[in-house]
């Protein structure tokens, strides 16, 4: 009996157990750095769009293990359209947001039509969408990067800036008390809901976990919530983008658990033929799942940006690298440092950049790999002499030599 319960526990909480193992492994390998307050906050801010997409993907998976391969391209396409509308065409922000939602929803409806009513497999339809919208994104942007740094209201609304955090209403101390209180309230609400759900099941005669198991679950999850909120409170508090994630999760959690439409998704995934015979329009369920995925991809496209920067296009040719003036490089680095959520910026550069020494002058530390070998030592000496002769002694003083085995 105990062995059976143990297996059921593992099956039910497999992903949580895996998450714990992965987190523990990286905490061990990084000496605990992965759990530092700044890193926890950055992980939330950088991956908020993934949480939103995963929520929508749940509905697609519930219809029978299907997925939407095109979400990444749709996120890019909708984000590109929004940036062009607000920056290049100077369109009103709210109108641009509405257009982005409409386009994302229409894309989802278009793909949902072929899946639900034409009965083309979701893998084929969304794979075609992935390739099509990836190409259309480049067409919209014309191969360029569009910066939304001046759209401060949009950036602050969707949590993409360095200061996009819920303010501390109880002071400005080293610990964000608003974040701590929010964690306590969340833990209490979770405990009340769990106890209420169990009481309802017992009252209706349904199978319910024991009171001890329920309390154990409440204690474990409440501790996680409090530890998580305390970590965020040690940095800058609650990232505003986390509010969007929580809204999406709560809304769709309610839909899947407490509405008739939500139960339809489970029914279709369990047995589509039986569901259809019971009078449920299964085509409509498929259509709603993928139309909703397009809607959430549009929202993800709004929160997926690095500060005021959308994304950085790679330079494929060395000639492109050499064509960029040093003023553009320094301005670019300053923009990232001032507007992004990151507190540490790492540059991996070489002498292919014109005026590279001016770029090095902006750095606080310059890490140089040192090999105990005659040729390597000679090259390093030559580099240091060149810095001195060209008047970059300040750059030389910032060098941190890292010895490597030859």
């Amino acid at each position: 009996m105990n062995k059976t319960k143990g297996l059921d526990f593992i099956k039910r909480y497999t992903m949580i157990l895996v998450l714990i193992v992965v987190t523990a492994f990286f905490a061990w390998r990084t000496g605990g750095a992965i759990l530092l307050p700044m890193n926890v906050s950055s992980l939330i801010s950088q991956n908020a769009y993934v949480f939103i997409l995963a929520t929508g993907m749940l509905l697609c998976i519930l219809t029978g293990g299907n997925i939407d391969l095109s979400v990444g391209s749709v996120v890019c396409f909708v984000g590109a359209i929004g940036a062009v509308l607000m920056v290049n065409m100077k369109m009103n922000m709210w109108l641009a947001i509405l257009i982005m939602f409409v386009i994302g929803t229409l894309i989802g409806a278009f793909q949902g039509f072929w899946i639900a009513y034409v009965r083309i497999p979701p893998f084929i339809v969304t794979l075609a969408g992935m390739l099509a919208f990836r190409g259309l994104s480049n067409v919209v942007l014309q191969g360029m990067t569009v910066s939304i740094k001046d759209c401060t209201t949009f950036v602050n609304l969707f949590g993409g800036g360095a200061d996009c955090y819920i303010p501390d209403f109880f002071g400005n101390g080293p610990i964000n008390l608003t974040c701590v209180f929010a964690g306590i309230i969340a833990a209490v609400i979770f405990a009340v809901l769990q106890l209420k759900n169990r009481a309802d099941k017992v009252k209706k005669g349904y199978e319910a976990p024991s009171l001890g198991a329920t309390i154990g679950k409440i204690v474990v999850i409440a501790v996680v919530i409090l530890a998580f909120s305390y970590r965020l409170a040690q940095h800058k508090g609650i990232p505003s983008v986390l509010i969007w994630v929580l809204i999406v999760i709560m809304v769709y959690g309610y839909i899947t658990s407490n509405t008739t439409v939500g139960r339809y998704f489970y029914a279709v995934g369990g047995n589509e033929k039986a569901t259809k015979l019971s009078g449920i329009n299964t085509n409509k369920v498929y259509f709603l799942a993928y139309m909703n995925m397009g809607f959430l991809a549009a929202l993800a496209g709004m929160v997926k940006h690095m500060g005021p920067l959308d994304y950085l296009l790679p330079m494929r040719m060395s000639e492109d690298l050499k064509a960029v003036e040093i003023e553009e490089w320094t301005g670019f680095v300053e923009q990232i440092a001032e507007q992004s959520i990151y507190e540490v910026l790492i540059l991996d550069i070489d002498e292919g950049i014109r005026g590279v020494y001016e770029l090095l002058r902006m750095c606080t530390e310059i890490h140089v790999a040192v090999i105990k070998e005659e040729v390597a030592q000679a090259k390093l000496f030559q580099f240091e002499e060149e810095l001195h002769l060209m008047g970059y002694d300040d750059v030389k003083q910032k060098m941190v030599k890292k010895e490597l085995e030859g």
Side-chain angles (χ1 to χ4, degrees), residues 66-218:
N66 301 307
I67 59 172
D68 187 342
L69 298 174
S70 67
V71 288
S73 298
V74 175
V75 166
C76 180
F77 179 64
V78 173
I81 289 177
V84 170
L85 291 177
M86 289 185 288
V87 177
N88 295 352
M89 301 179 66
K90 309 299 181 184
M91 182 177 289
N92 177 271
M93 181 194 77
W94 299 108
L95 180 57
I97 290 174
L98 177 62
I99 291 174
M100 292 170 75
F101 273 123
V102 170
I103 290 175
T105 305
L106 288 176
I107 290 173
F110 174 76
Q111 296 189 134
F113 168 78
W114 294 102
I115 294 169
Y117 297 100
V118 184
R119 287 292 172 170
I120 298 177
F123 182 88
I124 303 300
V125 174
T126 58
L127 178 62
M130 179 185 73
L131 299 175
F133 294 111
R134 180 185 297 173
L136 289 173
S137 300
N138 280 324
V139 172
V140 171
L141 293 172
Q142 297 181 350
M144 303 295 290
T145 297
V146 179
S147 172
I148 58 172
K149 67 174 183 176
D150 296 326
C151 306
T152 53
T153 304
F154 180 86
V155 172
N156 293 333
L157 177 63
F158 292 101
D163 299 317
C164 293
Y165 292 84
I166 304 300
D168 188 359
F169 301 106
F170 302 97
N172 295 312
I175 300 296
N176 189 300
L177 296 179
T178 300
C179 184
V180 174
F181 290 144
I184 294 173
I185 293 171
V188 171
I189 292 175
F190 174 78
V192 171
L193 291 177
Q194 288 295 309
L195 292 173
K196 182 179 180 299
N197 290 339
R198 183 185 179 280
D200 291 341
K201 289 182 179 179
V202 172
K203 183 178 180 180
K204 296 176 181 179
Y206 298 158
E207 182 181 357
S210 65
L211 181 60
T214 302
I215 293 176
K217 178 180 178 181
I218 290 173

Side-chain angles (χ1 to χ4, degrees), residues 87 93 161 205 263 268 284 297 330 360 370 382:
V87 177
M93 181 194 77
R263 294 299 180 184
V268 171
K284 185 178 179 180
T330 54
L360 291 175
V370 178
Q382 181 182 5

Side-chain angles (χ1 to χ4, degrees), residues 6-25:
L7 291 174
D8 290 340
F9 177 83
I10 293 174
K11 288 180 181 179
R12 178 174 296 185
Y13 299 107
T14 299
M15 296 306 297
I16 296 177
L17 295 173
V18 171
L19 177 62
I20 293 173
V21 171
V22 171
T23 303
F25 174 79

Side-chain angles (χ1 to χ4, degrees), residues 105-374:
T105 305
L106 288 176
I107 290 173
F110 174 76
Q111 296 189 134
F113 168 78
W114 294 102
I115 294 169
Y117 297 100
V118 184
R119 287 292 172 170
I120 298 177
F123 182 88
I124 303 300
V125 174
T126 58
L127 178 62
M130 179 185 73
L131 299 175
F133 294 111
R134 180 185 297 173
L136 289 173
S137 300
N138 280 324
V139 172
V140 171
L141 293 172
Q142 297 181 350
M144 303 295 290
T145 297
V146 179
S147 172
I148 58 172
K149 67 174 183 176
D150 296 326
C151 306
T152 53
T153 304
F154 180 86
V155 172
N156 293 333
L157 177 63
F158 292 101
D163 299 317
C164 293
Y165 292 84
I166 304 300
D168 188 359
F169 301 106
F170 302 97
N172 295 312
I175 300 296
N176 189 300
L177 296 179
T178 300
C179 184
V180 174
F181 290 144
I184 294 173
I185 293 171
V188 171
I189 292 175
F190 174 78
V192 171
L193 291 177
Q194 288 295 309
L195 292 173
K196 182 179 180 299
N197 290 339
R198 183 185 179 280
D200 291 341
K201 289 182 179 179
V202 172
K203 183 178 180 180
K204 296 176 181 179
Y206 298 158
E207 182 181 357
S210 65
L211 181 60
T214 302
I215 293 176
K217 178 180 178 181
I218 290 173
V219 170
V220 171
I221 296 181
V223 168
V224 172
I225 292 173
L226 294 174
F228 176 70
S229 62
Y230 182 72
R231 276 303 194 191
L232 292 179
Q234 288 178 299
H235 185 50
K236 295 181 179 180
I238 305 172
S240 55
V241 72
L242 183 59
I243 304 300
W244 286 104
V245 173
L246 293 176
I247 291 173
V248 170
I249 291 175
M250 289 189 293
V251 168
Y252 283 86
Y254 179 83
I255 291 174
T256 54
S257 302
N258 300 90
T259 66
T260 304
V261 174
R263 294 299 180 184
Y264 286 169
F265 291 103
Y266 287 98
V268 171
N271 191 324
E272 183 181 351
K273 291 183 178 179
T275 303
K276 191 171 185 178
L277 291 173
S278 66
I280 297 173
N281 188 338
T282 56
N283 291 343
K284 185 178 179 180
V285 174
Y286 278 109
F287 181 79
L288 287 175
Y290 285 90
M291 184 175 69
N292 172 75
M293 189 70 254
F295 173 81
L296 288 181
L299 177 59
M302 298 176 198
V303 304
K304 171 57 179 170
H305 46 83
M306 186 183 67
L309 301 173
D310 297 314
Y311 65 93
L312 312 178
L313 293 173
M315 290 188 175
R316 299 180 179 178
M317 304 296 292
S318 59
E319 288 76 10
D320 295 333
L321 191 67
K322 296 177 182 178
V324 181
E325 298 293 337
I326 185 58
E327 292 78 14
E328 296 180 78
W329 280 116
T330 54
F332 179 64
V333 172
E334 288 174 352
Q335 185 178 349
I336 296 177
E338 293 174 2
Q339 301 293 337
S340 73
I341 63 174
Y342 309 108
E343 296 190 4
V344 177
L345 178 62
I346 300 176
L347 301 178
D348 184 7
I349 56 182
D350 61 23
E351 59 185 4
I353 298 177
R354 295 171 60 183
V356 66
Y357 295 154
E358 288 296 326
L359 196 57
L360 291 175
R361 181 167 270 169
M362 299 176 62
C363 301
T364 55
E365 290 185 354
I366 302 169
H367 292 257
V368 181
V370 178
I371 301 176
K372 292 182 178 180
E373 188 265 334
E374 291 184 4

